[in-house]
């Protein structure tokens, strides 16, 4: 229970509060449209009125939230401010993309309910116009008002039309269609398979959020949902006058013809604040993107991984942070995130870029990766940098015992950490709180080892010289190989170094037994808080998170942290 509270307690609380606010807004606004002011509107629409307005309130709330988790500069500022007071609170900011997705799902759900309810509403409005019976109250209500600015209730003013025409000739209808189409494209292009295989499709369609928010703000200006005015309620009490509609406005009648007005647009009040914050965010990014960046070195690793070493005036970073990189000669619009692999102590910053898509392939070629001869410095492409931005890995030195788990290219943030650890020790930095690091690297094939193995070999040799061999324990797993498939390497196992990586620690085959690893670490460090840091796929994250929650031997607490950008 203690491990669950430490790992998921605050996250669970935040989600429950968010769900609670959604539930409260839904119920509150559902009931708000059951009062007398909306009596005659309900005569036309029934409870479909409340079913349309309640999700609209929830949409306003969630659209207020959706932009905040992607304001990276704001989150980095908050993270730096909060973590000095509460590490647990700061860790919640590392789950910004997860929360962004949850809010998006909630927006999609309430949009669906809102649309379905309004489809029924349009049919009810149309039916009231078609059933031209003077003894039929919905028809009488539909006849009230003769001009666009008159006090009408039914927005469909004639029986010589249909709901589809009304939908495409009103502000509410046009903006509603635009909002819905934009939302469908944004959500479908955000699917994992699209985002990973066709990142450009995801990136471009995601910017339809601009159309979404413009349509959202304008949507309410149509004032298509109308209710009785407060003044009219005094001269026409619907609970009394509804049955006397044939005598409305006649001499001797106590019931005047009711007057109606639309609700003033409210959505802009919900979203204007986050929109201003997001505009400021983009202005900061624009300013950063125009600061000069110099590529000082390009390294082409055999595993088709491109290393860029760069410098920018005033650039300051912490371990595990990431930047967004733009290359104008490849695309002036696209920005892609990459973890920094350099240490803060170095006089440059670097990123290792795996060539897996059109953009990275174009950058690889622009840097001369497809050429055998070295590229001259003046021929290297210009790049722009936005960042650095904070991640969970910044907290690594706040734990006495640390587990670092990287999968494939996901090892990049840990390159920065391991380099920084080494620099701190050789500089005799007494502020290093971390006493033990357990490092796990999972790779599918041998090619992925090449660029990082050099760093590990250097650290291994230097730590041996300093007598620090117990400080770093590392295990490298070749996950797509089984022991029997690696039988031809057996003869080399008698050698001092591993035949694949060149390290003294032998490569392991298959996947690690996490239950055994966690149990072993818990037994060696009783009474400790162990920071577990992952940069890898969601499936691995779920497995490690489960282990963190289930292992509490010797009152050890495993605190799970995942890179999430």
């Amino acid at each position: 229970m203690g491990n669950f509270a430490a790992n998921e307690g605050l996250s669970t609380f935040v989600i429950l509060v968010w769900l609670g606010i959604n539930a409260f807004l839904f119920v509150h606004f559902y009931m708000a449209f059951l009062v007398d002011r909306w009596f005659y509107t309900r005569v036309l629409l029934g409870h479909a009125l409340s079913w349309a307005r309640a999700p609209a309130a929830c949409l306003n709330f969630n659209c207020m939230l959706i932009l905040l988790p992607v304001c990276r500069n704001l989150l980095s500022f908050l993270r730096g401010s909060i973590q000095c007071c509460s590490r647990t609170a700061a860790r919640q900011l590392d789950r910004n993309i997860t929360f962004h997705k949850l809010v998006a799902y909630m927006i999609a759900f309430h949009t669906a309910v809102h649309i379905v309810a309004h489809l029924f509403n349009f049919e009810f409005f149309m039916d009231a116009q078609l059933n031209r019976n003077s003894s039929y109250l919905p028809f009488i209500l539909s006849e009230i008002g003769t001009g666009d600015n008159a006090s009408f209730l039914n927005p469909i003013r004639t029986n010589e039309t249909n709901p589809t025409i009304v939908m495409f000739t009103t502000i509410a209808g046009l903006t509603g269609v635009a909002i819905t189409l934009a939302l469908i494209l944004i959500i479908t292009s955000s699917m994992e398979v699209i985002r990973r295989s066709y990142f450009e499709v995801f990136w471009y369609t995601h910017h339809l959020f601009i159309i979404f928010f413009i349509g959202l703000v304008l949507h309410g200006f149509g004032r298509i949902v109308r209710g009785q005015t407060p003044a009219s309620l005094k001269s026409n009490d619907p609970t009394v006058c509804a049955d006397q509609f044939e005598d409305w406005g006649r001499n001797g009648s106590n019931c005047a013809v009711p007057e109606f007005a639309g609700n003033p647009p409210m959505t802009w009040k919900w979203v204007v604040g986050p929109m201003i914050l997001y505009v400021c965010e983009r202005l900061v990014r624009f300013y950063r993107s125009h600061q000069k960046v110099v590529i000082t070195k390009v390294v082409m690793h055999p595993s088709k991984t491109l290393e860029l070493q760069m410098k920018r005036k005033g650039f300051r970073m912490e371990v595990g942070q990431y930047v967004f990189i733009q290359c104008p000669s490849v695309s002036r619009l696209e920005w892609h995130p990459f973890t920094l692999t350099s240490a803060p102590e170095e006089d440059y910053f670097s990123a290792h870029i795996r060539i897996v898509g059109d953009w990275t392939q174009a950058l690889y070629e622009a840097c001369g990766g497809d050429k055998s001869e070295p590229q001259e410095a003046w021929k290297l492409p210009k790049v722009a940098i936005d960042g650095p931005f904070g991640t969970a890995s910044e907290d690594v030195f706040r734990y006495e015992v640390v587990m670092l788990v990287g999968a494939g290219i996901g090892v990049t943030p840990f390159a920065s950490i391991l380099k920084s650890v080494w620099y701190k020790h050789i500089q005799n930095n007494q502020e290093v709180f971390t006493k033990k690091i357990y490092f796990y690297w999972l790779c599918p094939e041998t090619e992925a080892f090449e660029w990082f193995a050099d760093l590990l070999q250097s650290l291994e040799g230097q730590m041996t010289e300093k007598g620090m061999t117990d400080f770093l324990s590392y295990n490298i797993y070749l996950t797509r190989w089984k022991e029997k498939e690696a039988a031809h390497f057996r003869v080399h196992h008698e050698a001092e170094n591993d035949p694949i990586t060149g390290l003294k620690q032998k490569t392991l085959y298959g996947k690690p037994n996490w239950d055994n690893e966690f149990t072993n670490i818990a037994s060696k460090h009783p009474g400790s808080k162990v920071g577990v840091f992952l940069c890898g796929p969601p499936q691995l994250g779920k497995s490690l998170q489960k282990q963190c929650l289930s292992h509490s031997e010797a009152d050890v607490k495993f605190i799970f942290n995942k890179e999430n950008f």
Side-chain angles (χ1 to χ4, degrees):
M1 187 64 186
N3 270 357
F4 178 83
N7 281 279
E8 302 299 329
L10 186 56
S11 294
T12 303
F13 175 76
V14 170
I15 296 300
L16 289 176
V17 169
W18 170 65
L19 291 174
I21 293 174
N22 274 280
F24 168 78
L25 288 172
F26 193 97
V27 173
H28 174 77
F29 279 87
Y30 189 98
M31 301 300 294
F33 284 85
L34 298 180
V35 298
D36 288 348
R37 183 194 171 194
W38 305 97
F39 183 93
Y40 290 126
T41 315
R42 293 197 305 276
V43 169
L44 290 180
L45 306 178
H47 282 274
L49 172 64
S50 290
W51 278 104
R53 301 314 304 157
C58 295
L59 278 171
N60 288 339
F61 171 64
N62 286 285
C63 288
M64 178 186 72
L65 297 178
I66 192 71
L67 289 177
L68 298 179
V70 292
C71 291
R72 297 189 293 268
N73 289 289
L74 175 64
L75 294 180
S76 291
F77 171 77
L78 291 176
R79 199 180 197 290
S81 302
I82 292 174
Q83 69 178 355
C84 61
C85 304
S86 172
R87 184 191 307 165
T88 304
R91 285 174 57 241
Q92 306 315 306
L93 298 177
D94 299 324
R95 304 184 180 186
N96 60 314
I97 299 301
T98 300
F99 186 66
H100 178 74
K101 292 177 181 178
L102 288 176
V103 174
Y105 295 146
M106 188 65 79
I107 288 174
F109 170 74
H110 286 299
T111 298
V113 176
H114 183 73
I115 290 172
V116 171
H118 268 319
L119 289 176
F120 278 103
N121 288 338
F122 271 103
E123 288 297 328
F124 293 145
F125 280 137
M126 195 70 238
D127 289 344
Q129 281 287 5
L130 293 175
N131 192 351
R132 307 187 69 79
N133 185 343
S134 59
S135 63
Y136 183 53
L137 178 56
F139 172 68
I140 298 299
L141 291 170
S142 297
E143 288 293 287
I144 295 174
T146 55
D148 290 340
N149 297 319
S151 173
F152 64 87
L153 177 60
N154 191 337
I156 299 180
R157 306 307 301 142
T158 175
N159 64 341
E160 297 178 356
T161 185
N162 61 67
T164 303
I165 293 176
V166 174
M167 185 180 301
F168 286 96
T169 55
T170 61
I171 293 176
L174 283 171
T175 55
V177 170
I179 290 170
T180 303
L181 290 176
L183 187 63
I184 290 172
L185 290 171
I186 289 171
I187 291 178
T188 53
S189 66
S190 300
M191 297 170 60
E192 188 80 9
V193 62
I194 299 294
R195 198 170 70 251
R196 291 195 175 276
S197 302
Y198 306 97
F199 183 84
E200 291 80 5
V201 173
F202 158 75
W203 195 92
Y204 285 115
T205 55
H206 226 63
H207 281 72
L208 290 173
F209 81 92
I210 298 172
I211 294 176
F212 177 86
F213 271 92
I214 292 173
L216 190 70
V217 170
L218 296 177
H219 188 61
F221 282 89
R223 302 195 180 195
I224 203 166
V225 176
R226 304 171 70 83
Q228 200 172 357
T229 65
S232 176
L233 283 169
K234 297 177 181 178
S235 60
N236 185 310
D237 183 351
T239 59
V240 176
C241 298
D243 295 330
Q244 305 173 26
F245 65 91
E246 294 178 343
D247 296 324
W248 284 351
R250 293 182 180 177
N251 291 333
S253 173
N254 294 323
C255 298
V257 176
E259 296 180 357
F260 303 97
N263 267 356
M266 299 295 292
T267 300
W268 69 272
K269 295 182 180 180
W270 289 83
V271 301
V272 66
M275 288 174 70
I276 291 173
L277 283 174
Y278 189 77
V279 168
C280 293
E281 169 83 12
R282 296 308 292 251
L283 289 174
V284 171
R285 295 185 197 176
F286 180 79
Y287 169 74
R288 282 180 168 175
S289 68
H290 283 74
Q291 292 181 300
K292 185 178 180 181
V293 177
V294 177
I295 299 177
T296 58
K297 188 176 182 180
V298 176
V299 181
M300 306 295 180
H301 294 281
S303 53
K304 210 170 184 184
T305 298
L306 173 68
E307 179 184 355
L308 296 181
Q309 296 183 9
M310 299 163 282
K311 289 185 178 182
R312 188 183 76 184
K313 186 177 180 180
F315 187 90
R316 297 176 61 186
M317 62 166 286
E318 298 294 336
V319 293
Q321 291 187 325
Y322 68 98
V323 295
F324 277 77
I325 299 179
Q326 179 213 41
C327 182
S329 63
V330 175
S331 172
R332 291 189 174 275
L333 296 177
E334 293 183 50
W335 292 81
H336 294 265
F338 296 98
T339 304
L340 293 170
T341 52
S342 53
E345 293 82 1
E346 293 175 313
D347 62 353
Y348 64 89
F349 62 96
S350 65
H352 284 70
I353 301 170
R354 187 159 58 103
I355 313 305
V356 292
D358 294 340
W359 187 90
T360 52
Q361 180 63 38
L363 179 64
Y364 181 76
E365 293 173 1
C367 292
D370 57 340
K371 299 178 176 64
S372 56
E373 68 279 0
Q375 187 86 322
E376 296 181 26
W378 62 275
K379 291 184 178 180
L380 291 175
K382 292 182 179 180
V383 295
I385 298 294
D386 183 24
F389 300 107
T391 67
S393 294
E394 287 183 49
D395 294 339
V396 70
F397 296 130
R398 293 174 176 267
Y399 295 93
E400 190 173 8
V401 181
V402 174
M403 286 180 67
L404 306 177
V405 183
I409 198 66
V411 77
T412 49
F414 306 138
S416 175
I417 291 170
L418 294 176
K419 284 182 182 180
S420 185
V421 166
W422 171 244
Y423 281 117
K424 290 180 187 299
H425 278 287
I426 64 174
Q427 293 170 1
N428 296 318
N429 191 328
Q430 300 303 314
E431 297 179 1
V432 180
F433 180 67
T434 305
K435 305 302 180 187
K436 180 68 176 180
I437 293 179
Y438 293 91
F439 175 59
Y440 298 84
W441 188 16
L442 285 61
C443 287
E445 300 291 347
T446 56
E447 289 81 2
F449 287 124
E450 293 167 344
W451 74 269
F452 195 71
D454 292 339
L455 171 62
L456 285 179
Q457 287 180 30
S458 175
L459 286 173
E460 186 179 63
Q462 292 169 341
M463 288 187 176
T464 300
E465 290 179 10
K466 290 281 186 178
M468 296 168 52
T469 53
D470 293 334
F471 176 77
L472 174 65
S473 295
Y474 58 90
N475 294 284
I476 300 176
Y477 289 84
L478 200 53
T479 55
R480 289 184 184 171
W481 286 33
K482 305 300 181 185
E483 283 286 350
K484 62 180 182 180
E485 295 171 345
H488 63 284
F489 282 107
R490 294 287 186 187
V491 66
H492 297 290
H493 278 211
E494 299 300 323
E496 183 178 358
N497 294 341
D498 184 78
I500 297 177
T501 63
L503 297 165
K504 292 183 179 179
Q505 173 66 44
K506 299 300 189 296
T507 297
L508 304 170
Y509 303 97
K511 296 180 180 179
N513 185 323
W514 292 117
D515 187 61
N516 289 345
E517 297 296 332
F518 275 76
T519 301
N520 181 48
I521 292 173
S523 64
K524 291 181 178 179
H525 305 280
S528 300
K529 277 189 177 182
V530 181
V532 181
F533 294 83
L534 166 70
C535 189
Q539 297 85 351
L540 181 57
K542 291 178 182 178
S543 177
L544 292 178
Q545 198 165 14
K546 182 179 178 181
Q547 294 294 334
C548 288
L549 296 176
S550 62
H551 283 80
S552 57
E553 296 87 347
D555 71 353
V556 173
K557 287 186 178 180
F558 289 90
I559 312 299
F560 182 69
N561 304 267
K562 185 180 186 300
E563 297 300 315
N564 194 12
F565 63 86

